Amino acid sequence: MSRIAYVNGAYVPHRQGAVSIEDRGYQFSDGVYEVICLFKGKLIDAGPHLDRLDRSLAELSIPNPYSRAALMTIIHETIRRNRLSDGLVYLQMTRGTAPRDHQFPEDTRPALVVTARYFDFDQAAIKAAEGMKAITYPDIRWARRDIKSVSLLPNILAKQAAVEKGAYEAIMTMPNGLVTEGCSTNFWIVDQTGLRTHPVCPDILNGITRSRIIEIAKKEGVPLNESPFTVEEARQAREAFTSSSVRAVQPILTLDDHPIGSGLVGPITTKIFQSYQRFLKTGVVS
Ligand code: PDD
């Protein structure tokens, strides 16, 4: 079955989907995006994802011409036309098309693309439960990582470095030795203070999965510590994992080939992993 994409007002065969060569997303990375997971026919946290989309757009002064209801209709229609019940919905909005000039163009309508593709969450969860390797990599991104911008060059360089070392994720580090997050995930450790992750600020993306994990930790009575930590502290941690909409909770067993804790998936990580899987199935943190 051929895939269908929504491109600026029309549903088109995926391979024929095209935007202008003067789309500002293409020329300047002048746009934002969201990835929403569709699990057993249900969108996971669509509301918070679209809230974050609105926030990213507002921070860049890109007016959103679509109402929430219109966006939801487009997302559901894209899913329906692709006959998916498990998959990833990708939504990208740019400032639109205009003759190339750095300043914001006037009277340009933002461009919207929505695509959806199959993703096997069950298989991913089985694989994830085994644990993965991560590396550290310098965080060379701009100072507004809280905006989910399509400008991902530092992130893809970091991911490529991880892949070349046989690792799943690159954990990004600042010159002062502090860890920010993974190149496409938030990063968590378990140490003597409890479950620890970087606080929400412009240095990291405020992950939707991150918020759910905080809710889970509170429910499970796991002490939470939202404070920055160093690479050394991560190496000395008892447990570590990453979180994202695509890969849920991913246990990390080694950092730069250095085992974390016992080198096995730890008890707190297992608790969070299982609880997040339950949330995916039931839609509530229980
Ligand atoms: N990445 N940090 C970064 C830098 C990310 O790119 C992502 C998500 C996250 C996790 O956010 P969330 O829990 O809302 O998915 C954290 C998406 C999935 C991507 O770029 O494909």
Side-chain angles (χ1 to χ4, degrees), residues 39 42 44 275-286:
F39 186 84
K42 280 182 301 179
I44 303 299
S275 186
Y276 191 77
Q277 289 298 318
R278 271 203 308 282
F279 160 70
L280 286 177
K281 290 183 183 112
T282 62
V284 285
V285 169
S286 58

Side-chain angles (χ1 to χ4, degrees), residues 63-122:
N64 183 355
Y66 295 84
S67 68
R68 179 67 59 98
L71 275 183
M72 286 307 292
T73 302
I74 293 165
I75 289 170
H76 282 299
E77 187 58 15
T78 306
I79 291 166
R80 193 188 68 78
R81 289 188 187 230
N82 285 284
R83 297 192 196 156
L84 288 172
S85 66
D86 282 296
L88 299 171
V89 175
Y90 177 80
L91 190 156
Q92 174 173 319
M93 204 182 291
T94 71
R95 202 178 301 277
T97 296
R100 188 181 182 280
D101 207 346
H102 285 63
Q103 77 237 30
F104 296 172
E106 278 171 26
D107 304 325
T108 295
R109 187 179 162 84
L112 175 65
V113 169
V114 179
T115 59
R117 73 178 164 94
Y118 174 71
F119 189 80
D120 189 339
F121 293 103
D122 297 327

Side-chain angles (χ1 to χ4, degrees), residues 19-73:
V19 294
S20 163
I21 55 170
E22 287 197 310
D23 184 287
R24 287 179 64 97
Y26 177 60
Q27 290 188 327
F28 295 114
S29 303
D30 189 3
V32 301
Y33 75 105
E34 282 295 328
V35 180
I36 309 176
C37 131
L38 174 76
F39 186 84
K40 314 286 174 223
K42 280 182 301 179
L43 285 165
I44 303 299
D45 277 334
H49 278 283
L50 295 184
D51 288 345
R52 187 171 64 188
L53 179 81
D54 283 341
R55 182 182 181 277
S56 297
L57 289 168
E59 291 296 316
L60 299 179
S61 303
I62 299 177
N64 183 355
Y66 295 84
S67 68
R68 179 67 59 98
L71 275 183
M72 286 307 292
T73 302

Side-chain angles (χ1 to χ4, degrees), residues 135-137 171-180 187 189 228-237 255-256 258 260:
I135 63 160
T136 54
Y137 194 84
I171 305 304
M172 303 208 274
T173 61
M174 305 285 276
N176 61 6
L178 290 173
V179 169
T180 49
F187 185 56
I189 59 171
F229 50 85
T230 62
V231 177
E232 200 40 45
E233 284 175 294
R235 290 215 176 100
Q236 301 302 326
L255 194 57
D256 297 325
H258 182 100
I260 295 180

Side-chain angles (χ1 to χ4, degrees), residues 13 26 45 94 108 126 169 199 210 214 239 246 269-270:
Y26 177 60
D45 277 334
T94 71
T108 295
I126 292 167
E169 180 61 311
R210 180 189 183 283
I214 288 176
E239 306 177 29
V246 179
T269 303
T270 303

